[in-house]
Amino acid sequence: MTPIRFSPSSLREGRWYEYLMRFALGGAATVFTGLVSSRYGVSIGGLFLALPAIFCASATLIEKHEIRRKRQAGLAGERRGKEAAALDAAGAALGAIGLLAFAIVFSLIVESSIPAAFVGASLTWLIVSVSAWYLRRKMLSVRRARTAGKTSGPAISRSR
Amino acid sequence: MTEYLLRFIVGGLVVSAFAMLGDVRRPKSFAGLFGAAPSVALATLGIAVYQHGAGYAALQTHSMMAGAIALGVYSVVVCHLLVRAGLRAAPATLLSLVVWVIVAVGLLTLAGGQT
């Protein structure tokens, strides 16, 4: 099981304009959500709280960084770049489960206590997302172990 | 005008903070969790609570649930377009936005929300 690691060196790979672009996209998505809410109503506006606008920029940057790293090593890196972006997307799919839990908890608590709604919903997002990620990883490693067992072929067939 | 400037700054800061948190995490699939962080939601809901009250923010999170399910479907579609169709990240993520809109609006309509 690969542990979760902290890798501050990854921040050095980013260029200043990439951070600026993410800031601008984040700001634009928040302004857009506000505009939609005031023009089309709270119901439609609420949908855009889960808009994957930032994800588009993040996945593109991840692919670009991976290709840049591989090219420095003399390789094309396009396939590796796509794989890195796909891994990011797989993580985002699990994070979306956490985002759903965030919305449920926030809507249940906010009318009783506003600070508790923000803290509780954020913690719920973190716990649900990390648990979903851990569970998926565990399932993948079990499946890999089974496949490896079948490929190597036990001398005596085991009853299940 | 001031409201939208505030939205832009708060949204930009919260999104950048979550994006940087994702950047420094490994493995990559774990870092991907931060691609679905409630960054825009936290900024927007904070302003919504301040301006319109808790009831308005609660209504926003009701339809946000449909958006979150759509985000899950969107991420799976992006993953398949990258791995199976061999598309690059930019076209895969942009094309899949159509899927997000269809699923989000479809779910909201099914739930009886105003469209």
Side-chain angles (χ1 to χ4, degrees):
Chain A
M1 184 89 24
T2 314
I4 298 157
R5 297 186 307 276
F6 180 71
S7 165
S9 63
S10 313
L11 288 176
R12 283 195 292 269
E13 286 178 12
R15 308 270 162 93
W16 66 268
Y17 57 85
E18 291 172 350
Y19 292 108
L20 192 68
M21 190 179 80
R22 281 208 283 215
F23 177 85
L25 260 173
T30 314
V31 169
F32 180 71
T33 307
L35 283 170
V36 172
S37 288
S38 56
R39 176 77 180 81
Y40 299 102
V42 63
S43 207
I44 296 283
L47 285 180
F48 289 86
L49 298 185
L51 179 75
I54 318 307
F55 178 77
C56 298
S58 296
T60 310
L61 286 181
I62 286 166
E63 183 190 49
K64 212 165 109 182
H65 288 169
E66 201 65 36
I67 290 174
R68 193 187 299 155
R69 206 178 301 139
K70 286 289 154 190
R71 284 200 178 145
Q72 280 167 357
L75 302 161
E78 284 200 6
R79 194 171 66 90
R80 189 62 183 265
K82 283 176 197 167
E83 282 172 2
L87 272 176
D88 194 58
L94 299 171
I97 302 170
L99 199 62
L100 176 65
F102 171 97
I104 294 168
V105 169
F106 191 92
S107 71
L108 289 174
I109 304 178
V110 71
E111 288 184 273
S112 325
S113 166
I114 294 167
F118 278 98
V119 175
S122 302
L123 280 175
T124 304
W125 169 77
L126 188 67
I127 293 165
V128 172
S129 302
V130 174
S131 305
W133 178 83
Y134 185 80
L135 198 69
R136 181 179 170 269
R137 201 154 180 98
K138 194 101 183 156
M139 281 162 63
L140 282 176
S141 62
V142 168
R143 201 184 300 164
R144 259 187 229 123
R146 273 190 194 156
T147 315
K150 274 181 192 168
T151 327
S152 58
I156 303 163
S157 65
R158 286 173 293 183
S159 60
R160 287 171 194 265
Chain B
M1 188 62 196
T2 316
E3 182 206 330
Y4 287 107
L5 186 67
L6 180 73
R7 275 182 189 277
F8 186 84
I9 294 168
V10 173
L13 286 174
V14 178
V15 165
S16 300
F18 272 105
M20 285 169 85
L21 270 174
D23 284 348
V24 296
R25 297 286 163 195
R26 290 291 177 275
K28 283 194 180 76
S29 61
F30 184 82
L33 294 179
F34 291 85
S39 42
V40 174
L42 282 172
T44 307
L45 290 170
I47 296 167
V49 163
Y50 177 74
Q51 278 191 327
H52 307 283
Y56 185 91
L59 275 177
Q60 276 196 317
T61 45
H62 287 158
S63 46
M64 182 190 167
M65 292 174 204
I69 296 170
L71 179 63
V73 176
Y74 166 90
S75 308
V76 172
V77 172
V78 169
C79 201
H80 281 277
L81 285 178
L82 288 163
V83 176
R84 296 187 203 278
L87 284 185
R88 294 287 296 265
T93 51
L94 289 174
L95 278 174
S96 305
L97 280 177
V98 179
V99 175
W100 182 83
V101 172
I102 292 169
V103 176
V105 175
L107 285 172
L108 190 64
T109 312
L110 277 175
Q114 293 165 338
T115 54

